[in-house]
Amino acid sequence: MTAFAHSVAVVTGAAGGLGRAFAIELGARRARVVLADIDEAGAEQTAAQVRRAHGHALVVRCDVAQAREIEALARATLAWAGPPQLVVSNAGILAAGELAELTAAELERLVAINVLGVAHGCRVFAPLMVAEGRGSLLNVGSVAGLIAVPRLAAYAATKAAVVGLSKSLHAELRPRGVGVTVLCPSFTRTNLVAHASASDAGIRRLGQRLLDTVGSRPESVVAAGLRAAARGRLYAVDTLHGRLAWGLERVIPTLAARAAGMASARLG
């Protein structure tokens, strides 16, 4: 049977990009999908595509940086469809450039959305799953949370936090029937780079070039994430180059650090 078929699922950041791809794929699996995003118009467009894929959709405006709005999202989900079997904490933003070049407001917003948004999602939805004795939390991290990436220190820190959160929750919740998976894409062809704040235009151009040349299709990233969640795996790293870089980081960390330093020097 197809994983998460006819399930109740919640997807944050569902107005576009990877969140939209998750929602459409779940719709194709006849799921009832709650689409959460601060961009209601974009989420409604996603909802139309979910319904065309033969799924059911409910749009809930939600700013994941606000704990009370995630709590309201959980209440709306319960009222519409009951406890979810899958929660995809996907909402996130990118800030590129050297840490010292970011403003305090940019840094705080990055942490509020990328870290607290995921943490509150887990905090609010995990008890609902534990009460049912089943469910999966699928947190979207990044390969940047596993390896050193020059000029993405702040973003990488938030994604490393998502990895750490997921690791601990995986150990904590697995005995209670709830799986936790952290999806760590490398380059995915979404609008994340286009919408990023960047202190250096060159970094933005480089990011777009990498997306265009080695970027994965959102559908393949979604498939890797759902497959790992269905199997109860902690990690999902969707690309070979991502897995190789992560392997180098674990096996020969000094070499990985040297390579990252050389990349930083070239970017400089």
Side-chain angles (χ1 to χ4, degrees), residues 140-149 152-164 167 182-186 235 237 246 249:
V140 178
S142 170
V143 165
L146 301 173
I147 66 173
V149 183
L152 285 180
Y155 176 76
T158 65
K159 293 305 184 178
V162 171
V163 171
K167 286 166 62 177
V182 58
L183 172 61
C184 296
S186 46
Y235 293 104
V237 181
W246 184 34
E249 174 80 19

Side-chain angles (χ1 to χ4, degrees), residues 17-108:
L18 203 54
R20 176 171 288 177
F22 265 111
I24 294 170
E25 176 57 34
L26 289 164
R29 301 182 188 200
R30 307 299 197 270
R32 287 169 286 175
V33 191
V34 181
L35 309 173
D37 205 294
I38 199 168
D39 176 7
E40 283 185 277
E44 288 290 356
Q45 292 172 7
T46 301
Q49 294 184 56
V50 169
R51 294 176 187 124
R52 282 199 294 271
H54 305 293
H56 304 275
L58 172 71
V59 171
V60 178
R61 187 192 181 282
C62 179
D63 178 358
V64 298
Q66 304 297 322
R68 65 182 181 276
E69 296 200 19
I70 295 182
E71 292 162 2
L73 173 65
R75 291 192 295 272
T77 301
L78 289 172
W80 182 62
Q85 286 82 58
L86 175 68
V87 174
V88 182
S89 291
N90 162 75
I93 59 172
L94 172 65
E98 293 186 7
L99 181 63
E101 296 171 346
L102 299 181
T103 66
E106 285 177 317
L107 185 57
E108 289 168 6

Side-chain angles (χ1 to χ4, degrees), residues 9 31 42 50 72-73 90 102 121 144 150 189 210 217 219 239 245 265-266:
V50 169
L73 173 65
N90 162 75
L102 299 181
R189 293 176 185 173
L210 287 168
R217 294 183 305 108
E219 294 79 10
T239 61
R266 291 195 66 179

Side-chain angles (χ1 to χ4, degrees), residues 133-208:
R134 63 173 182 163
S136 297
L137 297 169
L138 177 51
N139 299 328
V140 178
S142 170
V143 165
L146 301 173
I147 66 173
V149 183
R151 303 204 180 190
L152 285 180
Y155 176 76
T158 65
K159 293 305 184 178
V162 171
V163 171
L165 174 74
S166 301
K167 286 166 62 177
S168 294
L169 284 178
H170 179 80
E172 180 181 325
L173 297 176
R174 190 173 185 181
R176 299 186 234 179
V178 178
V180 181
T181 296
V182 58
L183 172 61
C184 296
S186 46
F187 301 102
T188 308
R189 293 176 185 173
T190 68
N191 55 12
L192 184 65
V193 169
H195 291 171
S197 64
S199 58
D200 182 346
I203 291 293
R204 188 193 297 275
R205 288 195 299 271
L206 175 61
Q208 192 60 54

Side-chain angles (χ1 to χ4, degrees), residues 148 150 248 253-265:
L248 182 64
T254 53
L255 180 58
R258 190 176 306 149
M262 291 171 64
S264 181

